[in-house]
């Protein structure tokens, strides 16, 4: 199977590319290598995949419709796995236009090209952020998601709606995957697991929004990747599916794990929790279990140990 993979040099995308290549798929990677965080990190992410004969990379921005059109026309992928996006709800508050351009227009470009080239299946990354401050836990795909807390969350919900429209009008087969706080090797440097670990390691103040009681459904990237691959292999008509761990830990749990791994104590600087941040994320994964045979197998402390091993080898750079 030939798969067009956007965000191929990113945290989740690079891990996914390697697993797809291992099983014999061909991966056509697309990534802009933007400077939201160090492009050098992304270059390191793709070293292993770049050595494989089934991998081809295009350094292209998903906002460039004509370049995407040329790539798809030349490569003729059977499926599209669209992971490229601007992430981070807090950053989206100060850059809302950028988030609309990349997340909404970029996704619309790919949906339109999937229609034009009759792509078999369109799988893309949505986010648990669409659930906002949902009072009901765990979060289910049938819950209302019409009160986003950030421009980022609003763009992710918008892409789900656009994808449904393309399914309805053009019978495009679409699966939207709502990711819940993926973590592990190659973690983005703007995410809590890396920020907390790095601050303790460097002896710098650890900026903690709130009192540390906020709970997150941290999901090991290997489990997330297995869920994506299962979705690629099952071309549903149109589905929205949670990919989480369905277990939550507090932010203080994360801090304690980092302290134990580093043998150092955190110097915590408490700050007000931004309006973009919910008190909890918690996935109901019964639909993923039923449709994808998805069973996350990595407990948080085990996953953190895998992350920390990578952090020691590469993550400090």
């Amino acid at each position: 199977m030939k798969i067009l993979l956007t965000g191929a040099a990113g945290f989740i995308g690079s891990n996914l590319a390697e697993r797809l290549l291992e099983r014999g798929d061909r991966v056509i990677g697309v990534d802009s290598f933007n400077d939201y965080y160090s492009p050098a990190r992304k270059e390191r992410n793709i070293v292993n995949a770049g050595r494989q004969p089934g991998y081809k990379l295009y350094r292209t921005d998903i906002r460039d419709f004509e370049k995407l059109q040329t790539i798809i026309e030349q490569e003729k992928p059977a499926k599209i796995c669209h992971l490229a996006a601007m992430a981070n709800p807090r950053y989206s508050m100060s850059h809302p236009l950028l988030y609309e351009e990349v997340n909404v227009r970029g996704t619309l470009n790919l949906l339109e090209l999937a229609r034009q080239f009759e792509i078999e299946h369109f799988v893309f990354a949505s986010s648990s952020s669409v659930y906002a401050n949902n009072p009901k836990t765990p979060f289910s795909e049938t819950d209302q998601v019409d009160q986003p807390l950030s421009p980022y969350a609003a763009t992710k919900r918008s892409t789900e709606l656009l994808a449904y429209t393309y399914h309805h009008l053009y019978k495009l087969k679409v699966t939207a995957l709502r990711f819940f706080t993926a973590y592990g090797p190659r973690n983005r440097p703007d995410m809590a697991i890396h920020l907390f670990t790095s601050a303790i390691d460097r002896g710098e103040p650890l900026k903690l929004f709130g009192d540390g009681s906020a709970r997150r459904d941290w999901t090991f990237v290997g489990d997330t990747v297995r869920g994506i691959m299962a979705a690629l292999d099952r071309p549903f008509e149109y589905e929205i599916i949670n990919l989480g761990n369905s277990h939550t830990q507090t932010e203080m749990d994360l801090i304690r794990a980092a302290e134990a791994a580093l043998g150092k104590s955190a110097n915590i600087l408490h700050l007000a929790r931004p309006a973009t941040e919910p008190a909890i994320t918690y996935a109901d994964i019964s639909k993923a279990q039923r449709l994808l045979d998805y069973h996350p197998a990595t407990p948080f402390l085990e996953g953190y140990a895998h992350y920390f091993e990578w952090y020691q080898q590469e993550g400090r750079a």
Side-chain angles (χ1 to χ4, degrees):
M1 176 162 43
K2 184 184 278 192
I3 299 167
L4 182 80
L5 172 62
T6 71
F11 162 42
I12 298 175
S14 62
N15 279 285
L16 173 62
E18 290 178 12
R19 300 293 86 76
L20 291 171
L21 291 164
E22 283 177 5
R23 74 174 191 178
D25 292 327
R26 297 176 64 189
V27 175
I28 308 303
V30 172
D31 203 291
S32 69
F33 291 82
N34 66 40
D35 61 359
Y36 172 68
Y37 62 90
S38 170
R41 281 181 174 268
K42 301 168 192 174
E43 297 288 356
R44 292 195 296 271
N45 287 349
I46 63 170
V47 168
N48 291 337
R51 296 184 178 127
Q52 306 304 313
Y55 185 76
K56 190 171 183 180
L57 178 69
Y58 289 88
R59 297 169 184 267
T60 298
D61 194 307
I62 60 171
R63 292 173 288 181
D64 192 327
F65 183 88
E66 291 183 356
K67 285 186 179 179
L68 289 175
Q69 187 176 44
T70 299
I71 293 167
I72 295 175
E73 188 172 27
Q74 290 178 350
E75 298 294 344
K76 298 178 173 58
K79 302 186 178 186
I80 291 176
C81 184
H82 172 39
L83 304 186
M86 288 299 300
N88 191 330
R90 288 195 298 275
Y91 192 73
S92 75
M93 291 177 65
S94 55
H95 299 81
L97 299 181
L98 174 62
Y99 277 68
E100 184 277 330
E101 290 174 9
V102 175
N103 295 359
V104 180
R105 184 56 183 267
T107 300
L108 184 58
N109 284 343
L110 288 156
L111 286 166
E112 176 60 16
L113 290 168
R115 178 193 71 81
Q116 289 184 13
F117 290 94
E118 299 182 344
I119 297 296
E120 295 175 13
H121 191 195
F122 190 93
V123 175
F124 74 100
S126 185
S127 170
S128 62
S129 293
V130 302
Y131 289 111
N133 275 319
N134 189 356
K136 181 186 74 63
T137 57
F139 301 162
S140 170
E141 295 89 347
T142 58
D143 295 342
Q144 287 191 340
V145 286
D146 56 0
Q147 295 179 322
L149 301 182
S150 65
Y152 167 72
T155 64
K156 283 299 183 180
R157 180 57 179 152
S158 297
T159 62
E160 294 179 349
L161 296 172
L162 283 168
Y164 177 79
T165 301
Y166 269 75
H167 163 68
H168 170 70
L169 293 177
Y170 310 116
K171 309 308 177 188
L172 179 65
K173 293 184 177 180
V174 174
T175 303
L177 301 173
R178 289 176 176 169
F179 295 163
F180 280 73
T181 319
Y183 73 98
R186 302 177 188 162
N187 230 120
R188 293 200 328 264
D190 64 328
M191 299 181 75
I193 284 192
H194 184 81
L195 291 172
F196 289 6
T197 301
S198 179
I200 297 170
D201 187 20
R202 298 171 186 269
E204 298 172 350
L206 185 158
K207 297 178 181 178
L208 179 63
F209 296 103
D211 61 3
S213 64
R215 305 189 73 89
R216 294 289 177 264
D217 193 337
W218 278 297
T219 308
F220 186 64
V221 65
D223 292 322
T224 302
V225 163
R226 282 188 287 274
I228 300 169
M229 293 173 69
L232 283 165
D233 293 343
R234 295 164 170 82
F236 302 113
E237 294 300 318
Y238 179 85
E239 296 290 350
I240 294 174
I241 304 174
N242 289 338
L243 287 187
N245 191 43
S246 205
H247 291 86
T248 67
Q249 279 77 34
T250 68
E251 291 173 323
M252 286 306 303
D253 291 333
L254 167 57
I255 291 170
R256 299 300 176 235
E259 288 178 325
L262 290 161
K264 300 178 181 179
S265 296
N267 174 20
I268 300 175
L269 174 62
H270 289 275
L271 301 171
R273 179 166 292 280
T276 57
E277 302 297 316
I280 186 171
T281 62
Y282 184 7
D284 177 345
I285 59 171
S286 57
K287 186 175 183 180
Q289 290 171 328
R290 183 176 75 255
L291 296 184
L292 302 179
D293 193 27
Y294 171 75
H295 299 279
T298 313
F300 175 70
L301 289 179
E302 178 184 334
Y304 184 84
H306 290 305
Y307 160 77
F308 188 71
E309 181 181 2
W310 170 83
Y311 174 80
Q312 289 180 299
Q313 296 172 357
E314 298 184 43
R316 287 186 172 98

